[in-house]
Amino acid sequence: MSGGVAPAPAQMATTRDRMAGFGAGLASGATKLLVGHPFDTVKIRCQIEGGHGRFRGPLDCLASTVRNEGARALYKGASIPLVGWAAMDAVQLGSLSNYRLLLQGGDKSHELSHFQHGLAGLGAGWTVAMVASPVEIIKMRLQMQYAGGAARQYRGPTDVARHLIRTYGAFGLWHGLPATLAQRSFFFFLWGSYDVYSKWLRTLHMPRSGRPPPEKLVNFMAGGMAANTFWTLCYPVDVVKNRYMTQPDPSAIPFRRMFAHVFRAEGLSGFFRGFVPSFIRSFPTNASAIFVWESTVRVLRGESRV
């Protein structure tokens, strides 16, 4: 017999393990809506209208929105994300869990590399794009609606959906899918960096106890830092995606040409309209959501009571 250390016994994934990520994703999506939607409204308005002189910056956008439309306007378009974000996170995080298990060969004890975590994130990003594309285009169309009463272009999510289908055909709700796929490709960096930050945080020691930080604190901090990394890298693509999906119908500028259009019209600064509220929003929103997801996954898998 060899004198080496015996490998850890395999921990093969069960159906419960494979389904836990989907259920926990519902809780994560609801958390994102509660914490992040006001920031998202300010971000979208700055991205689309910032270069047209309507707002001087994120704070002016926030103040103008509340002053002219009331505080409830910060939750414009929230009804579709209430269902949509829950569905999106269920698909994204459920598929992320299963792509990880696929790369592990079904053995939960097998440790993945940072790159493999990034690959699982990329797969989850492309998978959730099918759900995210219709949710986001409806949400943004409603967020960009400044008029009230009879002057509104859309009466609600259903009206936006009918308009898109009349304009672009049966797949009108997926108008902008290539743009969404491009933006969601950056999930490689979100989940790859999440693993990097998580492992680094576990090497630290708490000031008084000298012990590693609690796993829930690791989840929260690593989730926030990974989200900041993701948005810093993908923000220009996100701006172009949102400009493309909210331009007047039928779309005059193809997605691939929108980059040049933004640069000619506004220069490099045009790719970072609304970056500050997005960056600020990304830490608390995603830290909270990932914390809720990881905690709920542990409960659903029977690994924790809390």
Side-chain angles (χ1 to χ4, degrees), residues 16 27 36 56 76 82 89 135 150 163 176 182 222 233 237 251 254 267 282:
R16 185 177 181 178
R56 294 188 298 274
K76 275 190 173 181
L82 179 61
D89 270 24
V135 170
H163 169 78
L233 294 172
V237 177
S251 297
S282 67

Side-chain angles (χ1 to χ4, degrees), residues 22-286:
F22 292 101
L26 294 172
S28 171
T31 303
K32 281 184 179 178
L33 177 72
L34 180 66
V35 178
H37 195 79
F39 290 99
D40 188 65
T41 296
V42 172
K43 181 200 80 166
I44 293 296
R45 289 188 167 192
C46 286
Q47 283 183 336
I48 309 304
E49 297 284 2
H52 302 158
R54 184 185 290 269
F55 307 117
R56 294 188 298 274
L59 290 178
D60 182 51
C61 177
L62 173 64
S64 176
T65 298
V66 173
R67 183 174 59 250
N68 296 326
E69 304 168 65
R72 291 180 61 184
L74 295 172
Y75 281 90
K76 275 190 173 181
S79 58
I80 188 70
L82 179 61
V83 177
W85 268 348
M88 284 160 56
D89 270 24
V91 172
Q92 181 211 153
L93 298 172
S95 62
L96 175 72
S97 298
N98 282 277
Y99 286 131
R100 285 175 175 175
L101 288 171
L102 179 65
L103 292 170
Q104 290 173 308
D107 178 5
K108 295 189 297 179
S109 67
H110 176 70
E111 185 173 343
L112 298 179
S113 67
H114 301 321
F115 181 76
Q116 287 175 313
H117 276 282
L119 283 181
L122 177 64
W126 285 351
T127 301
V128 77
M130 298 302 296
V131 180
S133 192
V135 170
E136 291 187 347
I137 195 169
I138 292 173
K139 173 182 70 73
M140 288 189 292
R141 296 288 178 108
L142 292 172
Q143 285 175 315
M144 292 308 300
Q145 195 164 244
Y146 295 94
R152 293 182 300 170
Q153 182 180 1
Y154 306 115
R155 294 186 297 275
T158 304
D159 197 32
V160 179
R162 280 198 296 260
H163 169 78
L164 290 168
I165 292 171
R166 281 198 305 266
T167 305
Y168 297 107
F171 295 100
L173 293 177
W174 285 270
H175 175 67
L177 178 60
T180 307
L181 285 167
Q183 192 257 4
R184 289 306 197 279
S185 295
F186 285 82
F187 275 23
F188 176 91
F189 300 102
L190 173 65
W191 293 107
S193 68
Y194 177 69
D195 186 57
V196 172
Y197 293 132
S198 295
K199 288 178 178 173
W200 171 68
L201 287 166
R202 292 185 188 110
T203 67
L204 304 180
H205 300 282
M206 301 296 287
R208 294 185 180 179
S209 67
R211 297 175 180 176
E215 188 63 18
K216 291 180 181 180
L217 180 59
V218 170
N219 298 154
F220 184 87
M221 295 302 298
M225 291 188 290
N228 281 164
T229 300
F230 166 76
W231 281 109
T232 299
L233 294 172
C234 87
Y235 198 79
V237 177
D238 188 63
V239 170
V240 171
K241 172 184 77 74
N242 295 344
R243 294 280 183 96
Y244 171 70
M245 293 171 75
T246 57
Q247 65 182 313
D249 298 313
S251 297
I253 305 172
F255 172 64
R256 64 182 181 278
R257 295 181 185 172
M258 186 61 79
F259 290 90
H261 173 76
V262 172
F263 182 74
R264 284 196 303 268
E266 303 174 49
L268 285 175
S269 64
F271 294 104
F272 292 92
R273 300 283 183 191
F275 177 76
V276 172
S278 179
F279 189 82
I280 294 172
R281 159 190 177 267
S282 67
F283 192 102
T285 301
N286 292 280

